[in-house]
Every structure is written in structure tokens, then in C-alpha cells.
Amino acid sequence: MSTTGATAEPPPSSGDPLAALASLPGVAESVESVRKAVDRVYGHRIMRRRSNEITSEAALRGARGSAALSGADWSLEEVRRRTDFSADDEARTVGGALRLTAEAGQLLSIWRQSPLRVLARLHLVAAADASDEVGRPRQPGEPVHEPLVELPVPDTAEVAGRLDGLSRLIIAGGSAPALVTAAVVHGELLALRPFASHNGLVARAAERIVLVGSGLDPKSVCPAEVGHAELGRAAYVAALEGYVSGTPEGMAAWIAHCGKAAGLGARESTAVCEALQRGAA
């Protein structure tokens, strides 16, 4: 969790710090709202017959949303149409987002045992090149390229310590709701920017892994990335600043923001179900 706020007050004490965050004002309501939104998708009659199609469409739309937040705001039609994702920086960003969405499902069983290994793999997949900075945390003096996030970059010693702490929390498990854990993983990776590039894409892919692996969204049909993009880059950055502040209010606001994003992702897939039912998609 972020601890960078100089005057931050800690959340209520608990043996499970992530579970303690669930007691912050408004968080329980966000958790319940997401659960209801996800239940609406899974309860749709189309999900009983065509869930694989919904999963595939959610993956495509989630990748498009994640790429948009990293500066490649392509239309869904363009993402669907293109086959070459190497022409320029935007194309490579979209390609990275698509690869990450496909890869995330293959890493679920590893996440709870070795989250740092998964993060390294996600960065390797996102970057898709052979440079020596790929697949490992950045080293002292290495610059960070993350166009959306302009917050101060923690030094590598702090990054290593906080990544280790995050990894220990994930491996230990706990009673925190999936939304809370996913929001903390997402926020921590964006705050730390542990890699020299592609941190946003990796952070949002990790959020997806938590939401799917927790059992909240086992078929991966509620892409939070869609919601993050719909809420907009300004709101995303403002909510992240709340997380980085380390205050209870800031942390609660970030979790609520992630909850809204997940709910909007669920709404998107509900709309896809409705379109399939009408024969319109």
C-alpha cells in the first residue's frame, strides 16, 4: 500500500492491512455495487450459451480501453480491423495491450505463488523486445517512460521494498474483497512504476488477474479497463493521486474509482449480451 503521504493517518489496525481498507468509508458500498453488476452479467441468459464469445469480446474491449489510457485511443473498429501492431508507438501500445489480455489468463495459477514472476512476465509480453531492461524492475538511473502518470517516481530501493511487501500480502492471502486487493495492486504498480516502460498496461493487466483469479469474475467478462477509459484520463490520474497520498480519504477514493470502472466494464458486457440476444452482434 502507498505510504508516501507525510501526514497520512493509517486505517484501522488489522492483521490483514488489505482487509482493513475494506472498512474505509464508502468501500463496502463499492464492493457491493460491483458484485451486483457482475452478477447481472453472469445471470444473463446469453452467458449460459455463449460465454466464450462474451469473454473474447470483453478481452478486445478491455485491451482497447487500457491502450487508450496509455495514449493510443483507437476506436474498437480499428483495433478489430488491424493485424499489424508494429508500425508506430500507438500501434505497439495497442499490440501490447492485446497481448497482455491474452497472457493474463495463462498466469492465474502462478499469481498467488509468485506475483513478482508474473509481473516480470507481463512486462516482457507488453514490451515485446529483447532489450536488457525488459522483464525486470528498473535499475538506479534508468528513466521511466509513462506518458499518463507524472507523479514523482520512487527510487529503486523503495520500489524493491514495496514490491516485496505487496508480493507477501498476495501470497499470504486474506479476507479483503477482490475489489480492494485489485485496486491496491493496480494503484501500487502505478505509484511505483517499477519498470522503465509499460507500467500502466502492466498495472491494469494485474488488476484483471486479481479480479478473475479471486473468483469475482472467473470468466473474465467484466473488463475494468473499459470503465477506466470511460471515466477518463483526468479522473484516473486524480484518483491515483488520492492513492499516492496515503490518506484514508485518498485510498477510499481510489478504491471507489476502481469499483466504478469494474461496474462499467460489467455494464459493457451486459450490453454485449443484449446485442447478441437481439442478433445485432
Side-chain angles (χ1 to χ4, degrees), residues 16 19 31 60-61 65 68 74 97 107 125 129 141 159 164 167 184 202 214:
D16 180 354
V31 169
L60 186 71
R61 294 177 185 227
W74 289 11
L107 299 172
V125 169
D129 65 46
V159 169
D164 181 68
S167 176
V184 169
V202 168
S214 68

Side-chain angles (χ1 to χ4, degrees), residues 256-268:
H257 184 86
C258 291
K260 289 177 185 176
L264 289 170
R267 188 183 71 178
E268 183 90 351

Side-chain angles (χ1 to χ4, degrees), residues 21-184:
L21 293 176
S23 67
L24 292 174
V27 171
E29 290 81 357
S30 293
V31 169
E32 180 62 19
S33 178
V34 170
R35 167 54 67 188
K36 289 180 178 178
V38 172
D39 284 348
R40 280 193 291 273
V41 180
Y42 280 83
H44 199 285
R45 60 186 300 180
I46 289 294
M47 280 292 294
R48 293 195 292 272
R49 297 183 287 113
R50 303 175 70 175
S51 64
N52 288 342
E53 292 176 66
I54 306 302
T55 296
S56 295
E57 188 64 20
L60 186 71
R61 294 177 185 227
R64 192 219 73 82
S66 188
L69 284 171
S70 287
D73 193 2
W74 289 11
S75 68
L76 184 62
E77 292 72 21
E78 179 71 4
V79 177
R80 207 187 298 278
R81 179 186 69 82
R82 289 283 287 267
T83 56
D84 178 13
F85 294 98
S86 61
D88 52 40
D89 286 346
E90 285 197 6
R92 285 188 285 273
T93 296
V94 175
L98 288 166
R99 290 190 300 273
L100 282 175
T101 301
E103 186 74 9
Q106 309 303 313
L107 299 172
L108 294 171
S109 62
I110 305 172
W111 175 253
R112 285 295 297 271
Q113 284 74 44
S114 185
L116 297 184
R117 178 181 165 195
V118 169
L119 293 176
R121 175 62 184 170
L122 291 175
H123 187 246
L124 184 67
V125 169
D129 65 46
S131 65
D132 61 3
E133 67 182 29
V134 171
R136 60 151 176 82
R138 54 186 167 83
Q139 296 178 357
E142 287 184 336
V144 175
H145 176 68
E146 193 60 50
L148 176 64
V149 181
E150 299 179 352
L151 296 167
V153 180
D155 63 35
T156 55
E158 181 178 352
V159 169
R162 286 170 60 175
L163 279 180
D164 181 68
L166 182 65
S167 176
R168 289 174 183 273
L169 286 174
I170 293 165
I171 292 169
S175 60
L179 172 63
V180 172
T181 303
V184 169

Side-chain angles (χ1 to χ4, degrees), residues 172-220:
S175 60
L179 172 63
V180 172
T181 303
V184 169
V185 167
H186 185 171
E188 194 72 351
L189 292 174
L190 277 179
L192 293 177
R193 280 146 291 162
F195 303 106
S197 63
H198 301 90
N199 291 285
L201 294 180
V202 168
R204 291 183 288 274
E207 179 185 50
R208 173 185 286 266
I209 286 173
V210 174
L211 293 174
V212 174
S214 68
L216 176 65
D217 179 22
K219 294 183 182 293
S220 193

